[in-house]
Each structure stands twice: as C-alpha cells, then as structure tokens.
Amino acid sequence: MNNLFVYCEIEDGVIADVSLELLTKGRSLANRLDCRLEAVVAGSKLDGIEKQVMPYGVDKLHVFEDDRLYPYTSLPHTSILVNLFKEEKPQICLMGATVIGRDLGPRVSSALKSGLTADCTSLEIGSHEDKKQGKTYENLLYQIRPAFGGNIVATIINPEQRPQMATVREGVMKKEIYDENYAGETVPYDVNKYVSDTDFAVKVIERHIQKAKHNVKGAPIIVSGGYGVGSKENFRLLFDLAKVLNAEVGASRAAVDAGFCDHDRQIGQTGLTVRPKLYIACGISGQIQHIAGMQESAIIISINNDPAAPINTIADYVITGTIEDVIPKMIKYYKKNSK
C-alpha cells in the first residue's frame, strides 16, 4: 500500500535501460518517502529476471509470465496494471516515455482517473500549499518537464488522485546499482486472474524492428552544432570532424528547427539526454533547454565566435572563433597526430 511502482519494459529477456534508470531514481524517491520500491514485469520466459532488477534496490517484484504477454500488446498489459494497482494502491507509478510507455501510461491513468505527466526531465518530492482551500499536501511527486515548446520548465503536481503517474525519457536519469546483493521479494501471479481472454484478441503474427541509424545517446564523443553553425553546408564540417574522431553528431533544437540537421540528433530537454566523455559544442549559445541535455558530459569544449556565450560558463575549454576556421584546423591537427 502507498508504495512506489516502476513498470519495467523487457525485450528478448532483457530489462530496458530506461526502466533500470527509473528503478535507480525510484529507489532514491522511495527512501525519501520511507516506502517500498516495487517493480512490475510482464512477459514470457522470465526465469531469473529478478537478478536484473534486485540490484537496483527493488523490495518487491511482481512477475506476470505468459507467452501471450510478449511481444507487448496494449490490452493485456493495461489490464495487469489497472487490476494490480486497484489491489496494491501505489502512491506513485513511473514508466519510460517510450513507444510502449506512451501507449500504456495514458490507458492506465485514464482507467484509474489518476492523471499522468509525460516526458518528465526531473522527479522530486516536495510539499504544496493550497491557499484557497487552506490545505497543505506533504510528500507529493514533483513532475518536472519542459512546456510551451521548451521555453519554460513546469512543475506539475497531483495532490488528490493516486497513483501519481509520470513517464521519463531514456537517458534523463542515471542508471546506478544500489546493492549487488539486495534481496527483495519476488511474487508470481496467475495472469488469467488479471487479464480476460478478450484482451488477447490481438495477436502479433510477425514483428519487425528497425534499428536506429545512429547511436548519439551511447557515443563516447559527440560533435554537436547549434544555430551559430550558420547553414546545413557548414554542418558537414561537423560530420567531417566526427568521422576522424569516431564520434557522433548532435544538434541543438535551433539547428534542427533551421533544417541544419535531422530531428533524431537533437540534444536537450525536448530531445536526447547524453553523457559522453567528450562533448564538442559548435556554435551553440547555451540555452538552458540544451544544457539540460548535455551538462553531465565529462569534458565540454565550446567553439564559438561569441566569447560571452552562456555555454562557455560550463565548458572546460573554450575556443573563440568561427566554425569555418576552427573545425578544419582541428581535423588537420588530429589527422597529423593520430598517425
């Protein structure tokens, strides 16, 4: 009762990174609330699944195993969470802002009339005073996310309805093992008591997954460009530098909106959150929306013709100059010294 739940996505027997990131965050929130962290896994061939989640500090793992539950389909997983939550009455439920989470979260929150905040970039615990009603609410989930096109950061609360539900994008939270030997409780369930036969009306006959063209999120080195790069043609210089560094290319929202780079390379509050070993920011002014997506990079190099650019304040190294002048020199120097 009143515990914190994380819905764990699973693919080929492996828990998704975003779910492990949420377990890490969930553990810290549960400690703050002095409640239990519980996880839900639904799928097939789940033998030993507890070994993947328990090290993240899970106190109780709810396991729903049935061949019909994998691959994911909407109705069975919705019924599992809705009926389980009616029994367990959690105060918080977290899930990834993935294809699955964006489908499952609204269905569950609608059925429970609980509300949901999507694409959160931060989760905290705090209080709220309703001056009109003269009430003070303690230990609420602050669901923090960008709003109005990323121009402001909104803090959303749900004082009355439960569970407080939020989805979080992959990479926003850190994934850290809590205790390798953490021993929580594993509870298996009879799926037929939670899911009706009609929920299995849709069956996946054939499934194809198209892998991403590139891996910006997992790259150890990222060369990222902003509106200050100037043009799509100049952006090719960033790809040239990335090629010699074995790096990936990223972009700010302003660069994407200007058509300089594809949207799936966008870094920031409304794009990807990255933590590379080296982040080279080219022509990026450093708006808070972009900084939120890359500020935890190990080393940050800023290349900008404006010495007063905000991003320079968080950069480890600052190179003042134009992209057209600096990038070719970097490419030439690296090629010369990497032989």
Side-chain angles (χ1 to χ4, degrees), residues 26-35 124-127 139:
R27 181 67 267 171
S28 67
L29 294 176
N31 289 344
R32 174 77 186 272
L33 294 167
D34 193 25
C35 71
E124 304 295 340
I125 300 297
S127 60
N139 294 327

Side-chain angles (χ1 to χ4, degrees), residues 306-326:
D306 179 8
I311 198 168
N312 293 349
T313 61
I314 67 165
D316 298 284
Y317 303 95
V318 175
I319 301 174
T320 303
T322 65
I323 302 303
E324 302 94 313
D325 183 40
V326 175

Side-chain angles (χ1 to χ4, degrees), residues 90-91 109 112-115 140 158-165:
Q91 61 174 309
S109 66
L112 297 176
K113 297 178 172 62
S114 66
L140 290 178
N158 185 353
E160 301 287 351
Q161 266 53 53
R162 294 294 180 271
Q164 302 164 87
M165 293 185 64

